[in-house]
C-alpha cells in the first residue's frame, strides 16, 4: 500500500506518533488509508449537505475495514458569481481544485480517494485530479435540489434570471420577480435542470466514475445516503483490487460520456470539462469528435432549461442506467466501472419508467444530439452551440452585428432596450485570456430570453454559457479576441450569417477585408495584472 510509506518501519515512528495524535490506534494505522475530498461549504447551495454525505461515506469505509481521512477543497457557486467580476474566477477554480486534491493525496500517501462534489467546476476538477493521480478513486455527486413551484409551474434559478429580462421589458412586475425568487430554490442541492452541475454528474456516472443511479438521485434523499455508504465500502474494494482511473477513463468511456451528453442535451461546458479530464488521462478529444457523435446520437431527454423535465423527473424515469440502456446500441458496453462491473452488467436491471422523459431511439426529441460545433471565418478553430435549445426559427439567421467588448456593456444595452429583433449580439474579450477566466454569460442570455427576443436575436461570444442558457447562443469562439481572432475585428453593422444545420458561422466579408482589419488590430491591455487571474491574462506583469 502507498500508505506504508508513512506508517511502516522504525523510521516511520514519528509519522505514526502524529497519526496517533488524531486518535488512531495501531489497528487503524494498519488499515488502508482512504482520503475523502469534500467540497462542503456553507455558501454554495449545492454543497450545504455534503458534510452529511461524507458521514455516510465514512461509515461505509469503516464497515469495509479501512481508515477514512476527510479534507476540503474550494467551490464556487456559479449562480452567485454570475454577472460580476466573481464569475471570472469560476472556471480557473477548477485547476485549483484539481491541484489541491493532488497535493493532499500525494503528501499523505493515501491509498484510495472518494470525491464528494457538486456544481460546475468542482466535479470536473476532482475528476481531473483522479485521472492525474491514478490511484483507486470514486465520486459521489451531491444531487439536485427539487424544483420550486410558481403559479402552478415548476421553476428554478434559471427562471429568476429570465425574470430580470421580463422586468426590463415590462412583462413582469418587480413584485412578481420577488415572489418568484422566494420559491425558485426550495432547498439545498445543485440547480434543478440539466445545467452544467447535473450534466457533469451524469457524465461522471456515464464515464464509469460513480455508482449507478448516483447522478440523478436528489440531494436530500435516503437513496443518496445509501449510495454514499456503498461508495465508501466500494473504494476499499477498489483499493484491494487496485482498480484505477486509467483502467476506467479510456477513449471508449469518454465517447460513451459524449453520447450520453448528446442524448441529454447537456451543457456546452461539458466540451471544456470532458476535454480537460481526458487530457489528464492522456486522451485527446478534438472538437470534431463531439460533432461526429452529435450527428449519430439523437436527443432523447427534453430537460430544463430547454424542455419541461427536471432532474427528479429523470430520476423517476429510471435515471442514467435507463437512458444508457436505451442508448446501448450506440455505446461501448464492456468497459469496467467503479462498481467493479462492466457497463453491460450495470445495465442488466435498468428500465425506463416514463417514456415521455426518456424517449426511444426511434422516437427522439431531436434526430441529432444536443451540441453542435460551428466553424467559419468568425471561428476558424470552432465554436459551440447547444443546438437542441435553439428554436427551428433560429437555426439559420442573418443579421447585423451589435458589438460589445464586455458582458456588462451588452447587458446595459439590453436594459436600455437598444437591441432590436434581427440583431446578432457579439460579446468579445471574455475568453480564457481576455476575460480573463472565460466567464459564463447567463445574464445576457437570460435577459434576451426574458425580453422575448430569443426568437429573433442571436448571441456570439468568445466567453462561454451557463448550462441554463437556451436560445441561439454560440460560445467558445476560437481564436478568442485577446489572441487576435477574427471576432476581434467585427464592427457594428457587419452582417453575420449563422447556419447551424450546416455548422457554419461567418461574416459577410471577404478574406482580404478580414486580413486587412487584423493587420491594424492591436491587443487591449489586460484587465487583470495581479493575483490569481493574472495567470490567465494574455500579458503578465512579473
Amino acid at each position: 500500500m502507498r500508505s506504508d510509506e508513512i506508517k511502516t518501519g522504525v523510521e516511520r515512528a514519528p509519522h505514526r506518533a502524529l497519526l496517533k495524535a488524531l486518535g488512531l490506534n495501531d489497528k487503524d494505522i494498519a488499515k488502508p488509508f482512504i482520503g475523502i475530498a469534500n467540497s462542503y461549504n456553507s455558501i454554495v447551495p449545492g454543497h450545504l449537505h455534503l458534510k452529511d454525505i461524507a458521514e455516510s461515506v465514512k461509515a461505509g469505509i469503516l464497515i469495509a475495514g479501512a481508515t477514512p481521512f476527510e479534507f476540503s477543497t474550494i467551490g464556487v457557486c456559479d449562480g452567485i458569481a454570475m454577472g460580476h467580476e466573481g464569475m471570472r474566477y469560476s472556471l480557473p477554480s477548477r485547476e485549483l481544485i484539481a491541484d489541491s486534491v493532488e497535493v493532499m493525496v500525494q503528501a499523505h500517501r493515501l491509498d484510495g480517494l472518494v470525491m464528494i462534489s457538486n456544481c460546475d467546476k468542482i466535479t470536473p476538477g476532482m475528476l481531473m485530479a483522479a485521472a492525474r493521480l491514478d490511484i483507486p478513486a470514486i465520486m459521489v455527486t451531491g444531487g439536485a435540489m427539487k424544483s420550486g413551484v410558481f403559479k402552478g409551474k415548476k421553476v428554478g434559478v434559471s427562471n429568476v434570471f429570465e425574470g430580470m429580462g421580463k422586468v426590463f421589458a415590462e412583462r413582469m412586475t418587480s413584485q412578481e420577480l420577488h415572489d418568484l425568487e422566494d420559491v425558485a430554490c426550495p432547498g439545498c442541492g445543485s440547480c434543478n435542470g440539466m445545467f452544467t452541475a447535473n450534466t457533469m454528474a451524469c457524465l461522471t456516472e456515464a464515464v464509469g466514475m460513480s455508482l449507478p443511479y448516483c447522478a440523478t438521485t436528489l440531494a436530500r434523499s435516503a437513496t443518496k445516503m445509501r449510495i454514499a455508504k456503498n461508495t465508501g465500502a466500494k473504494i476499499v474494494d477498489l483499493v484491494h483490487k487496485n482498480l484505477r482511473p486509467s483502467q476506467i477513463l479510456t477513449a471508449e468511456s469518454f465517447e460513451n460520456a459524449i453520447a450520453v451528453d448528446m442524448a441529454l442535451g447537456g451543457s456546452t461546458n461539458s466540451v471544456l470539462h470532458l476535454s480537460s479530464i481526458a487530457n489528464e488521462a492522456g486522451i485527446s478529444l478534438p472538437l470534431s469528435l463531439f460533432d461526429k457523435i452529435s450527428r449519430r446520437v439523437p436527443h432523447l431527454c427534453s430537460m430544463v432549461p430547454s424542455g419541461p423535465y427536471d432532474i427528479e423527473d429523470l430520476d423517476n424515469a429510471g435515471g442514467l442506467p435507463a437512458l444508457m440502456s436505451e442508448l446501448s446500441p450506440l455505446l461501448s458496453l464492456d468497459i469496467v466501472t467503479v462498481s467493479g462491473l462492466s457497463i453491460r452488467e450495470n445495465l442488466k436491471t435498468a428500465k425506463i419508467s416514463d417514456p415521455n422523459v426518456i424517449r426511444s431511439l426511434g422516437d427522439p426529441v431531436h434526430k441529432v444530439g444536443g451540441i453542435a460545433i460551428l466553424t467559419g471565418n468568425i471561428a476558424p478553430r470552432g465554436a459551440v452551440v447547444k443546438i437542441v435549445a435553439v428554436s427551428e426559427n433560429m437555426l439559420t439567421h442573418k443579421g447585423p452585428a451589435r458589438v460589445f467588448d464586455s458582458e456588462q456593456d451588452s447587458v446595459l444595452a439590453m436594459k436600455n432596450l437598444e437591441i432590436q429583433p434581427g440583431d446578432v449580439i457579439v460579446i468579445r474579450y471574455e475568453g480564457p485570456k481576455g476575460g480573463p477566466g472565460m466567464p459564463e454569460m447567463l445574464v445576457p442570455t437570460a435577459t434576451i430570453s426574458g425580453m422575448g427576443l430569443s426568437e429573433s436575436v442571436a448571441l456570439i461570444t468568445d466567453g462561454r454559457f451557463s448550462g441554463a442558457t437556451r436560445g441561439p447562443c454560440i460560445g467558445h469562439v476560437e481564436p478568442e479576441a485577446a489572441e487576435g481572432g477574427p471576432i476581434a475585428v467585427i464592427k457594428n453593422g457587419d452582417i453575420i450569417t449563422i447556419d447551424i444545420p450546416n455548422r457554419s458561422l461567418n461574416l459577410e466579408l471577404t478574406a482580404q477585408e478580414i486580413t486587412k482589419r487584423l493587420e491594424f488590430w492591436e491587443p487591449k491591455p489586460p484587465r487583470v495584472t495581479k493575483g490569481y487571474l493574472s495567470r490567465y491574462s494574455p500579458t503578465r506583469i512579473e
Side-chain angles (χ1 to χ4, degrees):
M1 293 189 295
R2 280 165 43 101
S3 59
D4 287 342
E5 297 176 40
I6 63 168
K7 65 187 184 184
T8 301
V10 173
E11 66 276 15
R12 296 299 183 242
H15 303 67
R16 292 192 295 272
L18 289 168
L19 291 168
K20 288 178 178 179
L22 301 173
L24 301 184
N25 59 32
D26 289 333
K27 288 185 179 179
D28 297 326
I29 293 171
K31 296 173 182 178
F33 282 5
I34 307 298
I36 302 173
N38 189 356
S39 59
Y40 161 78
N41 59 64
S42 62
I43 193 169
V44 181
H47 296 192
L48 189 61
H49 63 303
L50 297 188
K51 61 182 178 180
D52 298 328
I53 288 178
E55 293 305 311
S56 289
V57 170
K58 289 176 191 175
I61 291 170
L62 291 167
I63 289 168
T67 301
F69 297 94
E70 184 179 0
F71 60 90
S72 62
T73 187
I74 63 169
V76 171
C77 177
D78 280 23
I80 295 174
M82 195 72 67
H84 55 83
E85 289 299 302
M87 178 44 68
R88 303 191 191 284
Y89 288 85
S90 176
L91 182 57
S93 75
R94 187 186 66 183
E95 274 59 41
L96 280 176
I97 292 160
D99 292 349
S100 66
V101 173
E102 176 194 0
V103 166
M104 290 297 290
V105 170
Q106 293 290 54
H108 302 102
R109 312 313 292 159
L110 301 174
D111 299 306
L113 176 65
V114 177
M115 301 163 287
I116 303 175
S117 168
N118 227 3
C119 300
D120 299 41
K121 310 308 164 305
I122 301 87
T123 298
M126 288 189 176
L127 287 174
M128 288 166 64
R132 184 186 303 171
L133 292 161
D134 201 27
I135 66 169
I138 186 170
M139 176 164 277
V140 184
T141 48
M145 66 175 69
K146 293 178 72 70
S147 294
V149 177
F150 182 67
K151 295 184 176 181
K153 296 182 179 180
K154 286 185 177 182
V155 294
V157 70
S158 62
N159 301 94
V160 184
F161 275 102
E162 292 182 6
M164 295 186 303
K166 291 182 178 180
V167 172
F168 294 157
E170 299 183 348
R171 300 173 65 209
M172 175 183 275
T173 67
S174 295
Q175 182 59 50
E176 286 175 316
L177 181 60
H178 181 271
D179 294 343
L180 172 60
E181 74 182 60
D182 279 346
V183 299
C185 301
C188 66
S190 54
C191 298
N192 66 326
M194 194 52 67
F195 312 139
T196 306
N198 293 317
T199 297
M200 291 311 302
C202 289
L203 301 190
T204 300
E205 184 177 329
V207 84
M209 286 298 293
S210 62
L211 292 179
Y213 301 99
C214 182
T216 58
T217 307
L218 293 189
R220 287 292 192 187
S221 68
T223 304
K224 180 65 75 178
M225 303 305 281
R226 290 195 296 271
I227 289 172
K229 185 178 286 187
N230 292 340
T231 297
K234 180 56 64 175
I235 188 60
V236 182
D237 181 50
L238 297 183
V239 167
H240 288 311
K241 293 178 178 177
N242 196 30
L243 181 58
R244 293 169 288 111
S246 59
Q247 298 163 270
I248 296 169
L249 297 175
T250 65
E252 292 78 12
S253 66
F254 281 107
E255 290 185 16
N256 282 350
I258 295 171
V260 168
D261 192 15
M262 297 305 167
L264 288 170
S267 166
T268 54
N269 285 314
S270 63
V271 176
L272 292 172
H273 297 321
L274 284 179
S275 298
S276 295
I277 298 163
N279 183 64
E280 295 284 357
I283 296 166
S284 175
L285 298 182
L287 282 177
S288 58
L289 179 62
F290 287 85
D291 202 61
K292 177 182 177 182
I293 294 175
S294 176
R295 291 176 185 272
R296 68 177 178 85
V297 177
H299 177 215
L300 301 185
C301 302
S302 186
M303 304 294 296
V304 172
S306 54
Y309 301 114
D310 63 11
I311 298 301
E312 185 175 13
D313 293 325
L314 181 59
D315 191 54
N316 290 335
L320 254 289
L323 174 61
M324 293 181 73
S325 179
E326 181 62 27
L327 286 174
S328 59
L330 304 175
L331 302 177
S332 298
L333 299 177
D334 296 318
I335 300 167
V336 70
T337 71
V338 290
S339 71
L341 304 174
S342 69
I343 293 173
R344 188 186 304 278
E345 292 169 314
N346 283 341
L347 299 184
K348 279 185 177 179
T349 60
K351 61 181 180 179
I352 297 173
S353 300
D354 189 339
N356 294 311
V357 178
I358 303 175
R359 303 272 282 268
S360 69
L361 289 171
D363 182 32
V365 182
H366 295 95
K367 292 181 180 179
V368 296
I371 292 172
I373 307 300
L374 312 185
T375 56
N377 61 17
I378 294 176
R381 297 206 299 255
V384 181
V385 63
K386 186 192 288 190
I387 187 172
V388 297
V390 182
S391 74
E392 291 284 337
N393 297 333
M394 292 296 290
L395 290 174
T396 60
H397 181 73
K398 179 188 290 189
R402 291 296 312 278
V403 183
F404 303 93
D405 286 351
S406 74
E407 174 190 5
Q408 288 76 14
D409 288 347
S410 73
V411 174
L412 182 61
M414 295 173 200
K415 187 175 181 179
N416 292 335
L417 306 180
E418 296 172 11
I419 303 301
Q420 301 300 316
D423 286 347
V424 179
I425 299 168
V426 177
I427 305 175
R428 61 193 180 192
Y429 295 101
E430 296 288 14
K433 294 180 179 179
M438 204 178 187
E440 288 185 345
M441 301 285 166
L442 180 56
V443 172
T445 60
T447 302
I448 290 169
S449 180
M451 294 177 72
L453 294 173
S454 59
E455 292 287 320
S456 60
V457 170
L459 189 153
I460 299 170
T461 181
D462 53 8
R464 61 193 178 91
F465 295 120
S466 164
T469 291
R470 58 192 178 97
C473 301
I474 301 165
H476 305 198
V477 168
E478 279 288 324
E480 63 174 293
E483 292 184 323
I487 191 173
V489 296
I490 299 174
K491 297 179 180 180
N492 282 320
D494 286 344
I495 301 300
I496 294 176
T497 301
I498 301 166
D499 188 341
I500 295 175
N502 289 309
R503 307 300 200 258
S504 68
L505 177 65
N506 287 290
L507 272 170
E508 289 197 351
L509 295 176
T510 64
Q512 291 82 358
E513 175 62 21
I514 294 173
T515 300
K516 181 180 177 182
R517 290 187 186 183
L518 286 170
E519 288 174 354
F520 289 96
W521 173 81
E522 293 183 359
K524 289 181 175 291
R527 286 190 173 111
V528 177
T529 58
K530 64 180 181 179
Y532 182 56
L533 288 183
S534 68
R535 303 178 191 182
Y536 297 86
S537 293
T539 303
R540 292 185 62 186
I541 297 177
E542 299 295 343

